[in-house]
Amino acid sequence: MSSIKIECVLPENCRCGESPVWEEASNSLLFVDIPAKKVCRWDSFTKQVQRVTMDAPVSSVALRQSGGYVATIGTKFCALNWKDQSAVVLATVDNDKKNNRFNDGKVDPAGRYFAANRRSVYKLEKEEQIPDGMCIDAEGKLWVACYNGGRVIRLDPVTGKRLQTVKLPVDKTTSCCFGGKNYSEMYVTCAQDGMDPEGLLRQPEAGGIFKITGLGVKGIAPYSYAG
């Protein structure tokens, strides 16, 4: 196995970066900054990032089979047209709950877009790590970003055994995905909301986008929304 390398490829200063998705067609990484109400796309070749600001917190973004993207914005499922930066509402839930919003979303193998709201309950692990965003590698193993744990861990979904731990130079790791050539790279989002000035000085890359290489395992392409 080659040695693991971790680098901050984009010092984005996300308040709460989430939902990284690799778009193979453009060699780009999509992600959101939830409280900043932004959907972002980072070109891995030019190193440039484009940002589109929405009218409510954006909790997830996904590819769409028919082109463009879909995203969960507030309590709405929306279709995104990147060229004209427009959003069309596909469906709305919880109209009677003004302070509610989606917390995350993923497309399943059947092309269905699932999203969870903020009423979800998480189980705390030791060291006050909170399991957050996750992805699956080509061997069927689960990779989980641990919020307040500053790491991503590889788990066997059958036995629950921890197989690998990769520590990052930031505490608030939020989610992860595979991307790059042959999906051999891992990208990790993180947050800086809730950190005091001293913490930000200790972790100047908090809120950035990290790339991990040398894991010795590859990922799979993300599923696209079929609607």
Side-chain angles (χ1 to χ4, degrees):
M1 181 185 297
S2 57
S3 59
I4 293 175
K5 180 182 178 182
I6 301 169
E7 61 177 318
C8 181
V9 293
L10 180 62
E12 182 67 5
N13 296 318
C14 289
R15 291 180 56 190
C16 185
E18 261 284 7
S19 187
V21 179
W22 184 258
E23 184 179 39
E24 188 173 355
S26 64
N27 291 293
S28 298
L29 181 76
L30 294 161
F31 62 95
V32 304
D33 187 347
I34 298 176
K37 306 177 183 178
K38 292 179 180 178
V39 181
C40 307
R41 186 172 72 179
W42 174 74
D43 188 310
S44 64
F45 286 169
T46 67
K47 311 303 181 187
Q48 298 298 307
V49 60
Q50 297 173 299
R51 305 169 185 86
V52 177
T53 302
M54 297 296 152
D55 62 358
V58 189
S59 53
S60 69
V61 64
L63 308 180
R64 192 179 189 185
Q65 289 180 15
S66 60
Y69 312 118
V70 284
T72 47
I73 303 173
T75 57
K76 300 173 290 188
F77 288 95
C78 296
L80 299 184
N81 184 317
W82 197 258
K83 290 183 179 180
D84 63 15
Q85 300 188 359
S86 64
V88 176
V89 177
L90 301 175
T92 304
V93 300
D94 291 342
N95 280 324
D96 56 331
K97 300 180 178 67
K98 293 184 179 180
N99 295 322
N100 199 18
R101 67 164 173 82
F102 286 125
N103 190 58
D104 205 349
K106 286 275 190 181
V107 177
D108 74 353
R112 298 171 298 184
Y113 195 8
F114 285 87
N117 64 28
R118 300 182 71 187
R119 297 176 185 273
S120 299
V121 177
Y122 297 92
K123 179 182 177 182
L124 294 179
E125 292 187 349
K126 294 180 180 179
E127 303 175 25
E128 298 184 351
Q129 301 170 17
I130 304 174
D132 204 341
M134 59 192 72
C135 64
I136 298 175
D137 64 31
E139 297 176 5
K141 302 301 187 290
L142 193 64
W143 289 83
V144 183
C146 298
Y147 187 77
N148 282 340
R151 67 196 67 190
V152 290
I153 58 176
R154 189 186 192 217
L155 302 171
D156 186 319
V158 177
T159 65
K161 181 181 179 181
R162 183 183 299 199
L163 306 174
Q164 191 172 352
T165 300
V166 180
K167 190 80 173 67
L168 282 87
V170 293
D171 287 339
K172 296 181 180 295
T173 42
T174 56
S175 193
C176 55
C177 78
F178 283 94
K181 185 178 181 180
N182 299 320
Y183 293 90
S184 60
E185 304 165 347
M186 174 174 282
Y187 289 89
V188 181
T189 53
C190 60
Q192 61 174 216
D193 264 14
M195 297 180 66
D196 58 26
E198 183 180 341
L200 289 171
L201 284 175
R202 288 197 310 268
Q203 299 179 16
E205 295 173 323
I209 304 297
F210 288 84
K211 181 174 74 172
I212 305 174
T213 53
L215 288 172
V217 66
K218 296 179 181 179
I220 58 175
Y223 301 115
S224 298
Y225 173 59

